[in-house]
Each structure stands twice: as structure tokens, then as C-alpha cells.
Amino acid sequence: MNQNIRSFLALTKASMKMYYRNKGAVVFTLLLPVALMSIFGFLSSGSGTLLKIGYTNHSTSAMSLQLVEELKKTKAFGAVEMTEEQATEQLTKGDLDLQIIIPENFATAENGNPLASSVMTRYNKAKPQTGQIATMAIVQLVSHLDRAFTKSPTLLDVKSEGITANRLGYFDFVLPGILAMTIMQLGIFGVAFSFVAMKASGALRRIQATPVHPVYFVFGQAVVRLLITLATTALLVTLGTYFFHFHMVGSYFSFGLIAVLGILLFLGFGFGIAGWAKDETQVAPVANLLQLPMLLLSGIFFSREGFPAWLKSVTDYFPLTYLTHGLRKVANEGASLSQIPVDLIGMIVWLVLIYALAIKVFRWE
């Protein structure tokens, strides 16, 4: 075996041992993401939570009254009658999960012929998951009434202002965000603190003085972080699927490739901070300055659709936004890599820029 390859493998093995001897790093890497995922999983799987529905019935037909009765009898719904204006106001504030408007011509006939009509549902785009779930249930109720109303092709249906697909819950929405957050924090904090600690202790300087080229040590560290982050991602997806019924609509392969690209991207941030900082006191402020805006504004725990237009335009270009959106498109909508070119190109551009900067500012001591 080539001496350079042996050196690289030896340094990679040593880096792995160094990492697992740091108990704090292991806890941060594994327990914190798992605990966070579990909290959201238990909160989103509560069976006692009612979907709050505000309905307005403009019709006087027997079928409309029957639909209202079905809404009230459905155990998963907390249905309250109100005006359209009241329902819209409460929906906007987030106090309702769904607004239902039954039109005046619902289930009526003209000259003995049933008239086609549509029930309108509205939901807050900032909370799409609850709206999807409630709308699907309404579709089932109206379809049942349609079969009782007429034997002809469907005349009663439901029109919704949002998407209704895949029977996804909030946990399906939030898990890709937690994974993206974990990838970012492991890349930035995991690399930056460990490298600066070795720089401050003189370990990097001593490695540079050995016959082995220091680049192999850096590559070894990168491989270790890549493997650890991939293992953490796989663990979170496995636990989420087994315990909280996470639905992977798309391809695990595409999901994994996006995760790898995200890991490489945020490793670059970590190496850049580690190369620039002289000691650990300089790492935390810079790392937090970089990651906190992304953590709050990249759509990890909630949709960015409710942001003001200018803020959404700015956060569209955050590296974590590209990663979160890409993971979510594959997991929740079954998108292929060819369908998310903006996310992939955005991450690649950031990757090139951040590694160019990291190489320029990197210092061994």
C-alpha cells in the first residue's frame, strides 16, 4: 500500500479515536438531536388534539345541514359556526386550523337536475400540515354526501386554496429541518472547537513538523466528521420512522446525497472558523453569529411563507435554507434531484466560496 494512503488511514483512525474520547462531543452529536426530535415527535403525535374548524353555511338544503352535523360528530374536529369574516380573522391569527365555506347552491337542484357546487376550505399557509389533514377529512365527508345526493358523475366536491397530498403530519415537516440543523451545527461547532483546541495546544504545529503532510490530517478529520454526521442523520431518520412514523415520500438515495452535500458545505464553515481563530474564545461568537440567523430564519421548525417579502427574499439565499428546502422537497413531496436545481446549485456555490475563503484564512498556529 502506498505510504501516503497508509498515513491517511492511520490519521483518520486516530481522529476517530480522538473524537470518541471526547464525551461531551458524543453527547452533543447524538443525544441532543435525538432529544429534540423526540420532543417534536411526541408533541405532534398527541391523539387528544382537536383540529379547530370554523364553518359558515350559506345553504338551507338538507344536505348542507347533514354536512354540518357530520362535522360536529367527527371526534377529531372541534367545529364552530361563525361568519366568514370571523373565521378568516381567526385563521389569520392561527386560532383556527381550517375554515369551511358551504355555498348557497350546495346540494340544490334546478328543474329537477342536481347542480354542481363546491365547498371551499381555507388554511393558514404558515401551518400547512394541519390544513392538509383536515381538508382530506372534509373531502371524504363531501364524497359520501355526493354519492347519496346523485348517482351521476360527481357534482359535490371540495376546493382548497392549498395543497392536499401524502397525508403528512407536522413531524414529517419538521424532521428534515432538524436534520439540516444537526448537519450545520456538527459542521460548524464540531470542527471549529476541536481544531482550535489542537491549535492552542500546539498539536497542529507538531503534526506540521512530522514527515506526514498536514493535509492528510485535515482530510482525515473531514472524513471522520462526514461519517459521524451521516451516521447521526441515518439514526435520526431510523428513529423517526420507527417511533413517530416519519414518511419518506421520495428517494432515500437522493435524500442522502443532499445530506452529504450539506455536510461538506458546513464542514467548510467549520474549517474556515478554525483556521482563522487563534483560540476557543474567538470561536463561539463567530460561530453563533453565523448559525443563529440561519437557525431562526431558514424554515427549520416553521414555514417561511409567513415572512415579509423582503425577509423571505434575503433568507432564500441562506445555505441552510437551500439544505432544508432540498431535504424537505425530497422527503415530503418526492422530488428528484433534477427537480430541485436551485437548492443544489445554491449549495454548490456556497461550498466553492466557503472553501476558497477557508483556504485563504487557514493558519496552523
Side-chain angles (χ1 to χ4, degrees):
M1 184 184 296
N2 183 283
Q3 179 61 36
N4 291 334
I5 296 178
R6 285 200 296 269
S7 300
F8 169 72
L9 293 176
L11 287 171
T12 301
K13 183 179 179 180
S15 298
M16 183 68 79
K17 289 182 178 179
M18 289 168 57
Y19 176 82
Y20 279 106
R21 285 172 182 167
N22 186 344
K23 305 302 181 185
V26 174
V27 170
F28 178 79
T29 302
L30 296 177
L31 295 187
L32 184 61
V34 170
L36 188 61
M37 180 196 69
S38 300
I39 291 171
F40 279 100
F42 285 120
L43 288 177
S44 63
S45 61
S47 58
T49 302
L50 291 177
L51 294 175
K52 299 176 183 178
I53 294 177
Y55 69 88
T56 305
N57 185 11
H58 294 294
S59 175
T60 57
S61 68
M63 281 289 182
S64 69
L65 297 178
Q66 186 175 342
L67 175 58
V68 169
E69 287 301 314
E70 291 294 334
L71 289 174
K72 292 179 178 179
K73 288 194 300 184
T74 303
K75 294 182 179 180
F77 293 165
V80 178
E81 185 173 11
M82 55 186 68
T83 66
E84 281 192 45
E85 292 75 17
Q86 290 173 330
T88 300
E89 181 181 358
Q90 291 198 28
L91 187 68
T92 304
K93 291 180 179 179
D95 296 333
L96 282 183
D97 295 311
L98 194 74
Q99 176 185 7
I100 299 175
I101 302 170
I102 304 173
E104 187 177 357
N105 66 343
F106 182 81
T108 58
E110 186 176 288
N111 298 323
N113 297 318
L115 295 176
S117 59
S118 298
V119 172
M120 172 63 74
T121 67
R122 296 174 180 165
Y123 59 83
N124 191 332
K125 289 184 178 179
K127 301 196 302 181
Q129 286 69 35
T130 52
Q132 293 170 6
I133 295 170
T135 298
M136 285 187 290
I138 303 303
V139 170
Q140 295 298 319
L141 291 178
V142 174
S143 296
H144 174 73
L145 291 176
D146 180 71
R147 289 191 294 271
F149 180 53
T150 176
K151 301 301 181 181
S152 61
T154 300
L155 295 178
L156 307 180
D157 63 2
V158 175
K159 290 184 178 179
S160 176
E161 293 184 344
I163 58 172
T164 56
N166 296 326
R167 296 184 179 270
L168 300 177
Y170 179 65
F171 185 77
D172 298 295
F173 172 85
V174 80
L175 182 57
I178 293 176
L179 291 175
M181 180 196 70
T182 302
I183 288 170
M184 177 187 69
Q185 293 189 326
L186 288 178
I188 293 179
F189 287 99
V191 172
F193 277 105
S194 62
F195 257 71
V196 170
M198 287 186 286
K199 182 190 291 188
S201 67
L204 286 185
R205 186 171 61 251
R206 290 192 293 272
I207 291 172
Q208 191 179 19
T210 66
V212 178
H213 199 290
V215 171
Y216 292 126
F217 178 73
V218 176
F219 282 160
Q221 286 280 321
V223 169
V224 168
R225 304 294 170 176
L226 177 64
L227 293 176
I228 290 169
T229 311
L230 273 178
T232 303
T233 300
L235 176 64
L236 291 176
V237 172
T238 301
L239 293 178
T241 302
Y242 185 78
F243 289 104
F244 303 112
H245 311 293
F246 172 66
H247 300 94
M248 175 63 74
V249 179
S251 161
Y252 280 102
F253 179 74
S254 298
F255 192 82
L257 284 180
I258 297 171
V260 169
L261 185 57
I263 294 168
L264 294 176
L265 168 58
F266 285 105
L267 282 176
F269 277 90
F271 282 125
I273 296 172
W276 168 82
K278 294 181 179 180
D279 54 53
E280 294 180 356
T281 60
Q282 293 181 324
V283 173
V286 176
N288 282 317
L289 184 64
L290 288 173
Q291 68 100 22
L292 277 177
M294 292 190 284
L295 189 64
L296 296 174
L297 301 174
S298 291
I300 291 175
F301 303 114
F302 47 82
S303 172
R304 296 186 308 117
E305 295 300 322
F307 287 3
W310 67 268
L311 181 59
K312 187 175 184 299
S313 297
V314 171
T315 58
D316 279 344
Y317 298 100
F318 282 4
L320 188 63
T321 300
Y322 290 126
L323 176 59
T324 304
H325 187 258
L327 291 175
R328 200 164 276 151
K329 289 287 285 186
V330 172
N332 295 166
E333 300 180 26
S336 63
L337 295 178
S338 62
Q339 293 175 309
I340 51 171
V342 174
D343 297 315
L344 297 177
I345 293 172
M347 283 193 285
I348 291 171
V349 170
W350 269 106
L351 187 147
V352 172
L353 292 175
I354 201 64
Y355 274 97
L357 181 62
I359 291 171
K360 185 172 183 177
V361 303
F362 194 88
R363 298 189 299 266
W364 290 95
E365 48 181 276

